[in-house]
Amino acid sequence: QVQLVESGGGVVQPGRSLRLSCAASGFTFGGYGVHWVRQAPGKGLEWVALISYDGSNKYYADSVKGRFTISRDNLKNTLYLQMNSLRAEDTAVYFCARGFQLERLDYWGQGTLVTVSS
Amino acid sequence: EIVMTQSPATLSVSPGDRATLSCRASQSVSTSLAWYQQKPGQAPRLLIYGTSTRATGIPARFSGSGSGTEFTLTISSLQSEDFAVYYCQQYYDWPPWTFGQGTKVEIK
């Protein structure tokens, strides 16, 4: 079965960096685009970034553009999110989600919590 | 950017009753609309895509309709496990892929 497992969250000071990982299994990872979506405490879902199946195309929300970098290693079946210059407003649960043909997000991980605080 | 607006913010429904959730897009998204269910402490789950197609394993009591800018998710007879927050999402024009702010379905 399709599984996505995020890791790497934690407490970080404003201005510092953090890298999230998402380990995929149960499907051909290299055949799908993958998204990062975040959810601030008590709030709704906010799309963060997408990387295409081969890593050749990357898209970002304006709120993270220039600070976050999405990448993937298809040999390791793993997605990454490098987060630099973190701000308090980046505090959220970060989910990775498989993208079906750049349309719906059909499978989601359980999320990893990032807290940006001094 | 296409803005998705859901209403109401909270819907109080008795078990066994019908629930009707609305989602409006700031411009036409054709039928490129998905619905997700999220329970507390859990990841979102895909319910509906293409406005009206149920995802794998989703019960028939969930149905979707609409086109253009107006969409509806209907739960025909609410079960205890259906009390959750529901989000709509458009994938017609991206980036960004945009979500509504959610509708919480609570027990009346």
Side-chain angles (χ1 to χ4, degrees):
Chain A
Q1 72 281 20
V2 174
Q3 278 201 312
L4 297 162
V5 180
E6 302 91 339
S7 61
V11 180
V12 61
Q13 293 179 328
R16 303 297 291 265
S17 299
L18 202 62
R19 188 177 83 156
L20 306 182
S21 300
C22 170
S25 61
F27 67 103
T28 304
F29 181 67
Y32 291 85
V34 197
H35 299 259
W36 286 103
V37 176
R38 67 185 181 183
Q39 186 170 37
K43 302 298 184 182
L45 302 171
E46 179 190 15
W47 175 79
V48 173
L50 166 81
I51 188 167
S52 61
Y53 70 99
D54 61 354
S56 62
N57 293 293
K58 303 175 183 180
Y59 305 94
Y60 298 93
D62 286 346
S63 57
V64 306
K65 201 172 293 182
R67 300 187 300 122
F68 290 12
T69 302
I70 190 171
S71 62
R72 65 189 298 160
D73 184 334
N74 284 349
L75 294 178
K76 295 183 177 179
N77 289 346
T78 302
L79 171 74
Y80 302 100
L81 186 67
Q82 177 67 42
M83 304 185 295
N84 298 333
S85 303
L86 282 161
R87 306 167 179 167
E89 54 264 37
D90 296 319
T91 294
V93 174
Y94 285 73
F95 299 99
C96 59
R98 192 179 81 168
F100 188 89
Q101 295 181 351
L102 299 177
E103 300 180 346
R104 58 196 181 268
L105 285 67
D106 61 355
Y107 290 93
W108 298 62
Q110 285 302 303
T112 187
L113 175 62
V114 173
T115 302
V116 183
S117 173
S118 55
Chain B
E1 171 178 331
I2 297 177
V3 177
M4 308 302 291
T5 303
Q6 292 184 240
S7 61
T10 303
L11 188 61
S12 298
V13 185
S14 299
D17 285 354
R18 174 186 297 257
T20 302
L21 289 67
S22 296
C23 175
R24 174 176 293 179
S26 60
Q27 63 190 76
S28 176
V29 299
S30 184
T31 57
S32 300
L33 192 284
W35 290 93
Y36 301 85
Q37 176 194 66
Q38 187 180 32
K39 298 179 182 179
Q42 296 187 16
R45 177 175 70 148
L46 177 67
L47 292 178
I48 300 277
Y49 62 92
T51 294
S52 60
T53 302
R54 284 188 301 277
T56 303
I58 301 303
R61 64 180 181 273
F62 290 91
S63 63
S65 64
S67 68
T69 62
E70 301 285 343
F71 300 88
T72 299
L73 174 69
T74 301
I75 312 171
S76 59
S77 177
L78 269 157
Q79 306 298 302
S80 57
E81 61 267 30
D82 300 335
F83 292 96
V85 179
Y86 293 83
Y87 295 93
C88 61
Q89 175 239 332
Q90 68 83 21
Y91 48 86
Y92 180 78
D93 184 30
W94 47 264
W97 287 258
T98 49
F99 294 89
Q101 80 278 20
T103 290
K104 181 180 181 180
V105 177
E106 64 176 24
I107 300 175
K108 187 174 183 180

